[in-house]
Amino acid sequence: SDEIIEGLKAELDKAKNVFVIGGNSLVGPLLDADLFDVLIIQMAPVILGKGIPLFTQKEGQRFYQLDEVRQFGPFAELVFSRNIEKDRK
């Protein structure tokens, strides 16, 4: 909700990191509020069928660049950082 986003913006200090775990009901509004500099997406080799999507396709377009890929057994972790120069074009 807008109140939560505004409260979070007021509390954020650019020197600190906030760790967010969640699906599109949490991630979507935070993306819309432009609060992510880094996305770390962890993937498991399991198809859940009717799982909660991470993105709703309603979020505004943002560009991120892939910085790192790590493997932890059968799991993958993708690390993306914001590509602000590409956002401006």
Side-chain angles (χ1 to χ4, degrees):
S1 77
D2 291 337
E3 290 177 15
I4 293 171
I5 299 297
E6 291 306 315
L8 184 57
K9 278 183 173 180
E11 296 296 321
L12 280 179
D13 178 344
K14 292 289 184 184
K16 294 181 182 177
N17 294 319
V18 175
F19 186 71
V20 177
I21 299 174
N24 64 9
S25 60
L26 178 60
V27 172
L30 296 175
L31 280 169
D32 286 340
D34 204 25
L35 294 178
F36 286 113
D37 295 325
V38 175
L39 293 174
I40 300 174
I41 299 175
Q42 295 178 332
M43 300 171 54
V46 176
I47 297 175
L48 298 176
K50 293 186 178 186
I52 299 170
L54 182 57
F55 304 107
T56 63
Q57 303 301 311
K58 294 177 185 175
E59 299 85 13
Q61 187 174 24
R62 304 281 188 278
F63 292 93
Y64 289 83
Q65 63 188 28
L66 180 61
D67 294 326
E68 190 174 350
V69 177
R70 293 182 244 174
Q71 183 175 353
F72 302 98
F75 304 99
E77 181 175 87
L78 309 171
V79 180
F80 297 90
S81 63
R82 185 73 185 273
N83 190 335
I84 293 173
E85 293 302 316
K86 195 165 183 179
D87 277 348
R88 292 182 183 154
K89 291 181 182 179

